[in-house]
Amino acid sequence: MEKQPLPTDDDRPGESELDIYVQDRQQVSSEPASRAGWNSKIEYFLAQVGFSVGLGNVWRFPYLCHQNGGGAFLLLYVLLMLVVGIPLFFLELAAGQAIRQGSIGVWKSISPRLSGIGYSSCVVCFFVALYYNVILAWSLYYFGNSFQSPLPWENCPVQGNTTVTECEKSSPTSYFWYRKALDITDSIDEVGSFNPYVVGCLFAAWTIVCLGMFNGIKSSVKVMYFSSIFPYVVLFCFLVRGFMLDGASEGIAYMFYPKLEIWGDVQVWRQAATQVFFALGLGFGSIIAYSSYNPKNNNCHRDAFTVSFINFLTSVLATLVVFAVLGFRAKEIVMACVLSNVKKLSELSLDPSLMPNFNYSDPKSVSLEVYTEWFQQSGNENPWNLTECDLEKEMQKGVEGTGLAFIAFTEAMTLLPGSPFWSAIFFLMLLNLGLSTMFGTMEGILAPLRDRFKCLAKNKIKLTVVSCVIGFLIGLIFTQRCGNYFVTMFDDYSATLPLIIVVVFETFSVSWLYGADRFLDDIEAMLGWRPYAVYKYLWKYVCLLAMLGLLGATVIRMFIKTPTYRAWNQENQELVNVDYPGWALAVLSLLIIFAMLPVPVGFIYSYVKDRREPRSRDTEAGHYNIVNTDETPMTDMSEQDHRNGFAVSDSLPLDSA
């Protein structure tokens, strides 16, 4: 049903404006709500937490924390989350809950000329869904291979009577990841054939997502009861087991050791802000979509704080687990290095006065502290050509992204008793973390399209199936032997810049075009109490300037630093930084342009349409005066109607006066 303007006295002669207003409210309120809703608050929390808590909490946050000052980075992260992340999260929650539509409908209600913001969110969600599901496919592949003893990545394969050279010079886990799972090429230019195992796993991943989204939130939330809770069970199991391992305390100490000097580094602020931005899922439209299924009086202000801090605590929990296990792995490797070096010393015929005071009859008794102290005193250049065996350097190897999950952490699990069990539950955890995020990402695509186009709303199941089929077919790009490099390209460039621009427009449109005070008025009418006035200044100045600063820093970094990717060099058995070729730079540029294009296109389309078909001031501002850049109040609508009618559609009952 199309929205119809409220009748005036001319339409109903003999009735006062107040009588007409009351009758219309009663009529609209009696209409049944056609939009779905959550069965309980628990379902909503599972969905929002499941979307915001994803793979980045496990393999991105720990890396950033370790590389950027440990405890100092945690404090910086909390500060930015409080002054930027939570206010913007609250803004999206309130807008979605009030207007009860997806991102396209929300920003079109704010102003028809801003509808492109919602379409940009959909495009970015689609890009993210394409490569994110490939990561789920990799997790499925490793999960399926975990039911073996020993694990297939525990030892190097043997050809004839010799160990495979590539594996021997790298590690069994690196060899399995790059050669068996990916069968990767040396560069993005070498396309290679499709990996049949990854293709099969990708098909399975999209099938799971399709079945989970088959009936919208009614079906996906049933999966989330498991996919949102199970990761916490696994993390606590790993935490308890990790604390019992030798080297766990060293790993956690390295992670949390504060380095306050990092606060003076602009890049650290940029990385912290970006992590807050992506951890909460701002700009995707998924927050708006999930919130749109809430009742109007839901306390979205409390939800913003609750979900944000659950997300933060999950990141801290995952970081404790990661560095406890990585500390154990590093300690095992370093102690093996110490043992090897002590044995080398014992086999040399040297002047006893030059020999360190070690117990050569029992090399295992030499502690890391004693060896490190002797090595530092002897100087890095020693006549025995021994290695340093540095614990911190060992912990820094492969602790970011896929390198953490599929190499470093996987290697650590091979050292645990019952390694197949720990491997299986770890990759099942990754699979569930990814699924919850994928459900939210897909909802950020499907909900706005269903709200905007009635034909799609009537064919909800077909829309879901077709979207998943298209996602699988395009996703085959990532299953080539060079597919991992395309995943890196999409992850680094297809979402970051467009999403920041989307959030800048969101913040500007609400706080300046619509008006922060008026937005707070509408929230007050919706919740029954008025949020703190500090949000007005945070939205108008702090958040907007912070996002503009993040946008500027990101753009400058893209132009100053040549885009590169990490490629596996088979000859040297190591990762090397490689510049993107010209065609790849063109592709990533098109990804960014295509994601941002709906914003100017929507504005131009609306402007041209207004020029050809001049609308009344009421219509241009939105049906219920959703946005009115002119501060003059509407004459044909009461102030209370304006405040309570914030984005009310004909399919929803109006809140009682």
Side-chain angles (χ1 to χ4, degrees):
M1 189 191 310
E2 291 289 335
K3 293 181 182 177
Q4 300 296 329
L6 292 175
T8 62
D9 293 341
D10 296 335
D11 299 319
R12 299 181 187 177
E15 297 186 44
S16 68
E17 182 177 349
L18 179 61
D19 292 335
I20 296 173
Y21 169 68
V22 172
Q23 292 174 15
D24 288 332
R25 287 182 65 85
Q26 292 174 345
Q27 178 181 356
V28 175
S29 299
S30 63
E31 294 179 2
S34 61
R35 188 177 181 82
W38 303 106
N39 292 326
S40 67
K41 189 62 176 283
I42 295 178
E43 289 186 355
Y44 168 67
F45 264 115
L46 288 176
Q48 284 286 21
V49 172
F51 169 68
S52 65
V53 175
L55 298 175
N57 296 76
V58 176
W59 67 34
R60 179 64 176 165
F61 186 88
Y63 167 79
L64 289 175
C65 192
H66 179 257
Q67 293 296 105
N68 297 308
F73 181 83
L74 282 176
L75 294 176
L76 179 59
Y77 182 86
V78 172
L79 173 65
L80 291 175
M81 184 176 68
L82 288 173
V83 300
V84 177
I86 293 178
L88 292 177
F89 193 62
F90 175 43
L91 184 148
E92 290 197 4
L93 288 177
Q97 182 173 306
I99 300 179
R100 298 293 299 269
Q101 292 189 54
S103 56
I104 296 175
V106 164
W107 304 115
K108 185 177 177 64
S109 298
I110 295 292
S111 171
R113 294 181 181 178
L114 298 177
S115 61
I117 298 176
Y119 286 103
S120 281
S121 294
C122 290
V123 173
V124 174
C125 279
F126 182 68
F127 286 162
V128 172
L130 288 177
Y131 75 83
Y132 208 89
N133 229 21
V134 177
I135 301 175
L136 297 192
W138 294 339
S139 300
L140 275 173
Y141 179 76
Y142 268 77
F143 176 70
N145 279 279
S146 296
F147 297 94
Q148 303 179 42
S149 184
L151 292 169
W153 50 82
E154 191 167 336
N155 300 300
C156 286
V158 177
Q159 291 181 349
N161 296 324
T162 59
T163 304
V164 176
T165 304
E166 183 180 359
C167 179
E168 190 174 22
K169 290 185 177 181
S170 54
S171 69
T173 50
S174 295
Y175 177 80
F176 186 87
W177 169 240
Y178 290 115
R179 195 53 52 214
K180 294 295 184 181
L182 301 179
D183 192 18
I184 201 165
T185 57
D186 286 350
S187 72
I188 197 172
D189 284 318
E190 302 175 37
V191 177
S193 58
F194 290 99
N195 187 323
Y197 299 106
V198 179
V199 171
C201 290
L202 181 63
F203 178 79
W206 274 110
T207 301
I208 295 172
V209 171
C210 185
L211 293 175
M213 298 292 299
F214 201 69
N215 196 27
I217 62 170
K218 295 297 184 184
S219 57
S220 64
V221 76
K222 295 177 181 177
V223 182
M224 288 180 190
Y225 273 105
F226 180 78
S227 63
S228 296
I229 297 174
F230 179 74
Y232 290 97
V233 176
V234 175
L235 285 175
F236 276 111
C237 289
F238 268 106
L239 184 65
V240 173
R241 185 68 183 92
F243 281 163
M244 298 167 61
L245 299 173
D246 181 30
S249 58
E250 288 90 337
I252 294 174
Y254 276 122
M255 198 285 290
F256 281 107
Y257 182 78
K259 302 172 185 176
L260 297 177
E261 61 272 14
I262 61 98
W263 283 53
D265 189 347
V266 176
Q267 290 304 320
V268 174
W269 285 79
R270 183 188 67 83
Q271 289 183 331
T274 303
Q275 181 62 21
V276 169
F277 183 83
F278 282 103
L280 296 178
L282 301 173
F284 281 90
S286 304
I287 297 171
I288 293 174
Y290 278 153
S291 182
S292 69
Y293 299 115
N294 276 330
K296 279 294 190 69
N297 61 353
N298 175 64
N299 191 342
C300 55
H301 181 262
R302 182 178 57 197
D303 293 348
F305 277 88
T306 305
V307 174
S308 298
F309 276 101
I310 289 176
N311 184 294
F312 171 69
L313 293 176
T314 304
S315 297
V316 175
L317 173 62
T319 302
L320 287 171
V321 170
V322 165
F323 279 92
V325 175
L326 289 185
F328 162 69
R329 165 187 169 270
K331 188 72 174 288
E332 289 284 315
I333 295 173
V334 169
M335 289 309 299
C337 171
V338 171
L339 179 62
S340 174
N341 287 347
V342 172
K343 285 182 177 180
K344 287 181 181 179
L345 282 172
S346 66
E347 295 170 357
L348 296 175
S349 299
L350 298 175
D351 185 345
S353 63
L354 298 176
M355 297 286 287
N357 187 22
F358 294 156
N359 183 4
Y360 296 103
S361 61
D362 184 14
K364 292 184 178 180
S365 64
V366 181
S367 66
L368 176 60
E369 292 76 13
V370 171
Y371 176 85
T372 303
E373 182 181 358
W374 165 79
F375 188 87
Q376 291 174 349
Q377 290 177 352
S378 64
N380 293 332
E381 294 183 3
N382 54 75
W384 310 282
N385 294 322
L386 301 179
T387 53
E388 184 179 3
C389 303
D390 190 289
L391 183 64
E392 186 172 8
K393 288 182 179 179
E394 191 60 44
M395 288 190 59
Q396 292 175 348
K397 295 179 180 178
V399 293
E400 180 185 14
T402 54
L404 170 64
F406 298 106
I407 299 177
F409 210 89
T410 304
E411 182 178 345
M413 288 185 293
T414 62
L415 304 173
L416 295 173
S419 55
F421 166 76
W422 294 106
S423 178
I425 65 170
F426 174 73
F427 287 108
L428 186 59
M429 178 192 72
L430 290 187
L431 180 62
N432 281 277
L433 282 173
L435 274 178
S436 298
T437 303
M438 271 298 298
F439 288 147
T441 304
M442 292 299 294
E443 191 66 26
I445 302 171
L446 301 178
L449 294 178
R450 290 195 302 263
D451 293 336
R452 180 67 182 88
F453 303 102
K454 292 184 178 180
C455 59
L456 297 180
K458 295 177 181 178
N459 297 277
K460 182 167 61 175
I461 295 178
K462 292 181 180 179
L463 173 64
T464 303
V465 174
V466 170
S467 298
C468 291
V469 170
I470 293 174
F472 168 71
L473 293 176
I474 299 178
L476 290 176
I477 298 173
F478 306 103
T479 64
Q480 302 173 96
R481 292 182 59 199
C482 64
N484 184 48
Y485 305 137
F486 282 96
V487 170
T488 302
M489 179 195 296
F490 271 68
D491 188 31
D492 290 343
Y493 297 101
S494 68
T496 305
L497 196 62
L499 279 180
I500 295 174
I501 293 176
V502 164
V503 176
V504 167
F505 275 105
E506 289 180 359
T507 310
F508 179 77
S509 62
V510 169
S511 60
W512 288 96
L513 291 183
Y514 184 69
D517 285 321
R518 298 170 66 191
F519 190 65
L520 290 173
D521 289 342
D522 294 317
I523 296 176
E524 181 182 6
M526 184 172 63
L527 302 183
W529 57 274
R530 188 176 184 83
Y532 305 112
V534 69
Y535 285 108
K536 169 184 175 181
Y537 302 101
L538 288 175
W539 288 332
K540 293 184 69 172
Y541 305 108
V542 178
C543 294
L544 187 57
L545 291 176
M547 296 309 300
L548 288 173
L550 179 59
L551 176 62
T554 303
V555 172
I556 292 172
R557 182 175 177 82
M558 289 179 63
F559 281 102
I560 291 179
K561 185 179 179 181
T562 304
T564 61
Y565 65 99
R566 300 273 283 172
W568 177 254
N569 188 291
Q570 185 175 1
E571 183 178 351
N572 298 325
Q573 295 85 41
E574 63 179 0
L575 285 172
V576 294
N577 285 323
V578 181
D579 292 341
Y580 279 108
W583 66 266
L585 291 175
V587 170
L588 64 88
S589 299
L590 288 174
L591 290 175
I592 296 173
I593 292 173
F594 192 73
M596 296 188 300
L597 197 59
V599 176
V601 169
F603 180 85
I604 295 172
Y605 173 78
S606 179
Y607 177 79
V608 172
K609 185 177 180 181
D610 290 347
R611 299 280 291 183
R612 291 180 177 178
E613 304 173 9
R615 295 177 295 179
S616 68
R617 185 171 157 217
D618 295 5
T619 307
E620 185 170 352
H623 172 54
Y624 284 100
N625 194 29
I626 298 305
V627 61
N628 183 7
T629 54
D630 188 315
E631 291 298 324
T632 307
M634 306 295 290
T635 56
D636 63 348
M637 192 182 305
S638 71
E639 176 64 16
Q640 187 66 22
D641 187 21
H642 161 65
R643 291 177 61 182
N644 286 345
F646 177 84
V648 178
S649 67
D650 60 338
S651 62
L652 294 168
L654 285 163
D655 295 332
S656 58

